Structures are given as C-alpha cells and as structure tokens.
Amino acid sequence: MRRWSELAERVAATTRTSEKVGLIAEHLRPLEPARLVPTVIFLSGRPFARSDQRAVGLGWATIAAVASELAGVDPGAFAQAYDLSSDLGRAVAEVLAHRPAQPDPARCPTVVEVAEAFAAIERASGPAGKAAILGDLLARSDPLSAGYIVKVLTGELRIGLREGLLEAAIAQAFGRPLEEVSWAGMLTGDIGQTALLAREGRLAEARLTLFHPLTFMLASPVEDAGEIIARLGPTVWVEDKYDGIRAQLHRLGREVRLYSRDLHDVSRQFPEIVAGAAELGWDGILDGEILAWRDGRVLPFLALQARLGRKEPPATLRAEVPVVFVAFDLLALGAGEGGRAIEGPGGPRVEPLLRRPLAERRRRLEALDLPLAEEGGVFALSHLVTASSAAELERIFAEARARRNEGLMVKDPASSYSPGRRGLGWLKMKKALATLDCVVVGVEMGHGKRHGVLSDYTFAVRDDATGELLTIGKAYSGLTDAELAEMTRWFEAHTLARHGRYRVVEPTVVVEVAFDVIMRSTRHRSGFALRFPRIVRLRPDKSPAEIDTLASVESLFRGLQQGAEHLVTASARALS
Ligand code: AMP
C-alpha cells in the first residue's frame, strides 16, 4: 500500500492529465493480476468495484475514534487535525505521524491485504468488530498509507483522477484502444476486471451482466430555450422532467431488481413495481423515474418522500402513496423472441443498446408495450414531443409544469446513452435553475423555536479539479420538524469536531438549496455566496460525489450575470 500511496501522491501533485495517465500506466504495466485488480479499484476511489453491492458500513466517527486511539490523542486533537484540511484521510495521516513509534515498514499491508481487510470489515457485524479490523490495518500502516486507506474506504480519494483518466491509463499500460477499455468498463461496472481483460487482451469478452447496475446518464443544465435549440436543434426531443427517484430496472426471467442513482438495490422499497414487472415477457434493462402517482396524475415529491428511507413499506403506506415507473429509456434487451435473453456460454445474454441512437431505443421501448398504470399496470412512458423553436419549448415547459412536473429534459434523438456522463445529448431545463445540490459540512443549533435542534446548515460544493469541498453558504433548514429532529440525531452521531456552537459534521448529507442570486464573495471558501439561500429538501437519492461543482456554480453565475434578470424572477416563480 506504501507504493500505491506514493503513486497517489504523485498523481495528486500534477495537474497535467497526460502526466497522471503516464504515471499510472507505468505503475500498472508490471503488476500481476492479483495486485492489478485492487490497485485499479482503489484508484477509482472506492473500496469495491462499482457494480459490487457491498459497502464497508463504517462511519466517519468510528474511523476518527480508531485513529485517535491508535495515535494516543484525544478526540479534540483529531478534530483539530480534521479542521485544517477538512479531509478525513489527511487528518488520520496527520495524527498517526505523531505516534511515539512508527510501525515496521516491512509489515505495511499490501494492496491485496488491504482489499482483504475491506472485505472482512464488510462481513463483520457491528461497529466494534469493524473498528477492530480497521484498527489492526492502520496499526501496521505508515501515516501516508493509513491516510490513503481511509480515503479509499470513505470514497474521498481527491487526487484529481476522473474515471476517464483511469481508463486512459489502463489503455496506455496494456496498449489497447481507449474506446474498448471504456466500453468494457461501462458494461462490467468493474474497472478492476476491465484492467485484467485489457492486460490479457480479452476486452472483447466483456459482457453486460444483468443485476450489475450501469451508472446513469446525466443531463447538463441549460439556461434558456434559445440555447437548447442552438445546441441540439433544429428539432429536438422533449420529455417532461419528472421529480421523483431515478431508477434502473433489471429483469431476467421472473427476477426483477431496481437500482437507485447511487447503484443500490432499492427493490424492497417498491414491491408493487417489482411484482408488476415480474409478469412481463422480455429480459433487459429500463431507465426511468419512480413517481408517486394516482389516477393518472403525479403526486408531489413530498408524498413519495414518505416512502423513501423505509426498507419495506407497510401495506397502508403502499395504498396511500401508489407508485409508478415512468420509463424513458431501454438500455438492454434480449435478442431472443419477444425480447427474451439468449443462452450463451457464460449464462443468459442480453444485447446492450447503449450505443444505438435514442430514436431506436425509444422505438423498441414503445414496442415492449409495457402495461400502463391506467390499465392496472405499474408503468408509464415519459411524455415525449418534438420542438423546433424556443417559443415552442417555452410553451411545452408551461404544459409540463401544469402536469406538475419539474421542467423539461431535452434530448438529441441521435444520441447514444453515455453512462455516468453529463453529456450534451441530454439537456435539462428546469427554470428553477437557481437550486444547487450541496453537501452539509457543518451545523449549528437554531434560535428561538428551533432551540435544541441542529437547524442551521453550512453547505459546500465540490472543486472538480481537486475534489475538495468548498463552502458556499449557510441557511436555516426548511425541513419539516420531523425531518429536523431525525437529522439532529444523525448530525449528533456524526459530529467530527466542535467549535463552540458550530459542529463540523461528516460530509454525506446532500441538500438541495434554492437562492435568488449568486455573488462573488470572500466570505466562503468557494469564492461565491448565495443571496437568500434556503434548503428546499434533503436529497437522500444523491451521494456527495454527485453534488454541484465549482464549475457549475461559475457557469450559473455567468449565466445569471449575462443580463438574465428574467431567469431570476422565473426561478423565484417556479419555486413559489
Ligand atoms: P437533476 O436531478 O436536476 O440533476 O436532473 C437529472 C435527473 O432528472 C435525472 O437523474 C432523472 O432522475 C430526472 N429525470 C426526470 N425526468 C427525466 C426524463 N424524462 N429523462 C431523463 N431524466 C429524467
């Protein structure tokens, strides 16, 4: 792990992407398979491959406690170290550097041992058992390696390495075309296996596997209708933008599973959708949005929220908040009769449709004849029309709002599906552009009625270049009393440091923040401040890796500045 950590340091130290790629390629080339796989997975900034449903289940507070105990420092000293960098891994390295005696370098765990320890942490039940394994791992590691072990474990690597660069490094290391590496990575969802296939010249063998979720294609925000037509026109495809929970539905035989945006299996939360889809005849993958829905109409997001966070909804809740799966894309389909999978040497196979144009995917989606909600089924198809002018888009936008949807998703019918990318094939037009997804980094007790409740949130966006979290504002939470009480308990249990009233908390809670104007300001580390920020809602469906970036704040700032007075008023209207 020492060599891996030194590599990570060098990658972090250069901003030149070609140099990052070169450094990694050189490191990977001589590795034997057993080391190559965890080396690459860790470089992707996670303890397990993306398609792997395992999670270590170790909270930041436990990690901080383990490190403080090993270093023989009190939690206050650890909190101070954390404050300096707002980086848990760096804080761990910092406190461990002051251990009276450093461990024997010969005993530093290898990447293979670290991977085994991560698997053991996942298997251990309860924080004490997990902490013991982590403690043993960190005790044997030098400070630098210990810091990186924690960074990988918490998914906060922050060395300025996008997945695309890692794929480029794999391609360079083994002399394979980048496109083949990316395609294999996309299909398998496992960058470690992809590296192995690249090493052995077997990239063509990569297969899409059902029940291994693909990362979702994302949309880029656009300021106005004219720009949309200019970018994707002359004629664009326009769908309603539904305000629910994004989900990917996998189906094989009678087995159905639903995955959320963060690739977790959420099937048990929506048993009626699973049961409805089990009745169908085809095998494949749908992309769509789960919505609360009654009598052909969308229910407000708040209704759906009652069903989130519950492992299994009781029958009463299911009756109160019925749900529907609004399908808008078909990502894979069996090539057999009626869309059934074909038996291959490695098991049943479906055909990936990701590289086919949207127009073809939509046609095939419609041909599936999904049983619609109004016919007693659990499906709907996204509302789709075409538009050729800004005025037409504005009219469709107003109609979508009247259907209680959030805005529009504008898509290029010729575009392919690019998992995990905020491509230009999909543009989102929300008007309520003046919202940002931020992560809460600090909380404070409220005043008056809110006394005793941690109701004031300080939140941050991410610097895309360094991965660092940069504060952008502070707001009184607009959450319900019940949500506030629950979040207060959560923040109390996940406090990393205290400064008088202010608590530095584990940066994992994502909130959607609305505001009126963005201004340049030195008050916050991002260099921006928001006027009248308000927390619209919690975004449990988004991970801190998906929050808005400094670059999107900058482009929003420029957009709002370019005489876009009307946008500000429009967004205020859209939010009211
Ligand atoms: P945002 O959450 O604001 O970044 O917007 C992107 C999200 O819009 C996607 O992740 C989907 O959950 C959602 N969405 C709603 N309707 C559609 C649609 N018709 N096509 C694609 N995505 C949609």
Side-chain angles (χ1 to χ4, degrees):
M1 194 66 195
R2 173 80 203 178
R3 278 194 53 220
W4 186 98
S5 305
E6 284 166 356
L7 168 70
E9 283 286 275
R10 275 184 279 144
V11 171
T14 173
T15 50
R16 292 199 17 229
T17 52
S18 60
E19 207 174 320
K20 288 179 193 272
V21 169
L23 283 167
I24 297 172
E26 227 172 279
H27 184 93
L28 299 184
R29 200 169 296 123
L31 296 184
E32 80 272 13
R35 280 190 51 195
L36 176 64
V37 173
T39 294
V40 171
I41 291 177
F42 293 172
L43 281 169
S44 73
R46 36 176 98 237
F48 303 118
R50 198 177 58 220
S51 60
D52 195 325
Q53 285 289 305
R54 287 179 299 170
V56 280
L58 203 53
W60 285 43
T62 311
I63 297 173
V66 167
S68 312
E69 198 187 315
L70 261 183
V73 300
D74 63 58
F78 185 88
Q80 241 176 4
Y82 179 78
D83 273 356
L84 284 178
S85 57
S86 297
D87 183 321
L88 195 65
R90 230 191 275 177
V92 167
E94 177 64 25
V95 295
L96 289 182
H98 294 104
R99 265 180 293 194
Q102 289 300 332
D104 176 0
R107 286 191 61 224
C108 184
T110 63
V111 276
V112 176
E113 287 167 339
V114 174
E116 283 162 2
F118 286 168
I121 293 174
E122 188 270 337
R123 283 194 307 269
S125 59
K130 291 177 188 286
I133 303 169
L134 178 66
D136 178 57
L137 194 60
L138 299 186
R140 292 162 52 203
S141 310
D142 58 276
L144 181 72
S145 308
Y148 273 107
I149 288 172
V150 167
K151 281 167 179 264
V152 171
L153 198 60
T154 53
E156 292 281 337
L157 189 54
R158 304 187 189 173
I159 56 169
L161 187 68
R162 282 178 287 105
E163 186 130 336
L165 293 183
L166 185 52
E167 288 167 355
I170 294 169
Q172 185 171 320
F174 305 113
R176 314 285 172 209
L178 173 58
E179 202 187 312
E180 283 179 25
V181 174
S182 308
W183 178 239
M186 197 192 290
L187 291 184
T188 60
D190 186 333
I191 195 76
Q193 286 309 315
T194 301
L196 202 58
L197 291 174
R199 180 183 186 272
E200 294 167 359
R202 298 193 294 125
L203 284 168
E205 290 173 29
R207 292 272 171 272
L208 186 145
T209 317
L210 284 171
F211 310 120
H212 282 195
L214 298 161
T215 45
F216 291 80
M217 178 160 174
L218 303 170
S220 306
V222 186
E223 274 94 56
D224 70 14
E227 190 185 339
I228 291 177
I229 297 294
R231 270 160 78 169
L232 296 186
T235 300
V236 293
W237 275 24
V238 191
E239 294 178 24
D240 280 17
K241 183 175 191 303
Y242 300 95
D243 192 11
I245 291 295
R246 182 82 174 269
Q248 205 175 92
L249 186 151
H250 288 227
R251 180 178 196 288
L252 179 66
R254 287 191 59 84
E255 187 165 1
V256 175
R257 279 191 223 149
L258 288 165
Y259 298 94
S260 59
R261 253 174 99 124
D262 51 8
L263 311 185
H264 286 129
D265 186 337
V266 293
S267 315
R268 279 161 63 195
Q269 286 183 36
F270 303 104
E272 56 272 66
I273 295 178
V274 170
E279 297 304 317
L280 308 176
W282 49 270
D283 300 313
I285 305 178
L286 297 179
D287 188 5
E289 190 94 355
I290 294 174
L291 293 179
W293 181 277
R294 187 191 292 284
D295 304 328
R297 292 207 72 186
V298 181
L299 299 178
F301 185 82
L302 215 58
L304 184 64
Q305 216 160 16
R307 289 196 56 161
L308 303 179
R310 316 260 314 218
K311 287 240 160 66
E312 272 171 85
T316 43
L317 187 57
R318 292 209 312 256
E320 227 169 88
V321 186
V323 289
V324 70
F325 184 97
V326 182
F328 49 71
D329 220 317
L330 178 65
L331 310 186
L333 189 64
E337 207 189 317
R340 284 201 192 278
I342 294 182
E343 273 309 316
R349 286 214 332 232
V350 291
E351 188 195 351
L353 301 176
L354 308 161
R355 291 200 280 201
R356 304 292 175 84
L358 171 64
E360 178 186 338
R361 301 199 306 274
R362 175 79 188 199
R363 185 171 47 71
R364 295 176 71 170
L365 170 66
E366 288 178 7
L368 287 181
D369 248 337
L370 296 172
L372 303 178
E374 45 267 42
E375 301 154 4
V378 290
F379 290 96
L381 279 177
S382 61
H383 184 275
L384 170 69
V385 290
T386 57
S388 317
S389 70
E392 227 180 320
L393 266 181
E394 293 286 359
R395 179 180 52 75
I396 301 168
F397 181 85
E399 288 167 3
R401 298 290 303 199
R403 282 188 290 270
R404 296 196 196 162
N405 296 323
E406 205 184 357
L408 302 178
M409 289 292 282
V410 185
K411 302 181 179 178
D412 176 356
S415 64
S416 55
Y417 190 94
S418 27
R421 309 261 145 82
R422 223 172 258 291
L424 293 179
W426 289 10
L427 301 177
K428 61 183 173 194
M429 179 177 168
K430 275 210 279 193
K431 288 269 176 108
L433 252 188
T435 76
L436 286 172
D437 293 325
C438 302
V439 68
V440 180
V441 293
V443 293
E444 267 171 83
M445 214 49 107
H447 294 278
K449 195 173 115 234
R450 294 268 158 96
H451 181 73
V453 185
L454 293 170
S455 59
D456 300 4
Y457 295 177
T458 299
F459 40 84
V461 292
R462 192 179 291 277
D463 181 343
D464 6 14
T466 62
E468 224 183 321
L469 296 174
L470 305 173
T471 51
I472 188 161
K474 182 178 155 176
Y476 304 108
S477 152
L479 307 178
T480 63
D481 286 350
E483 280 175 330
L484 271 179
E486 193 187 329
M487 292 317 295
T488 295
R489 281 194 297 278
W490 193 92
F491 286 127
E492 275 169 351
H494 295 86
T495 294
L496 298 171
R498 294 184 71 152
H499 306 284
R501 300 170 55 80
Y502 184 80
R503 289 165 180 257
V504 178
V505 296
E506 178 182 328
T508 39
V509 174
V510 179
V511 288
E512 190 174 330
V513 182
F515 54 89
D516 292 354
V517 179
I518 299 182
M519 300 160 287
R520 288 221 187 265
S521 156
T522 51
R523 202 165 69 217
H524 301 290
R525 289 194 54 222
S526 60
F528 288 101
L530 308 175
R531 185 158 161 263
F532 299 135
R534 44 210 186 268
I535 287 162
V536 195
R537 65 185 200 214
L538 296 167
R539 291 297 307 248
D541 56 314
K542 286 202 175 177
S543 76
E546 294 177 280
I547 59 172
D548 276 300
T549 59
L550 191 58
S552 57
V553 172
E554 267 161 9
S555 81
L556 208 53
F557 172 72
R558 277 196 304 274
L560 290 171
Q561 229 189 1
Q562 279 162 11
E565 269 284 291
H566 66 283
L567 251 181
V568 178
T569 13
S571 57
R573 218 185 314 125
L575 280 165
S576 63

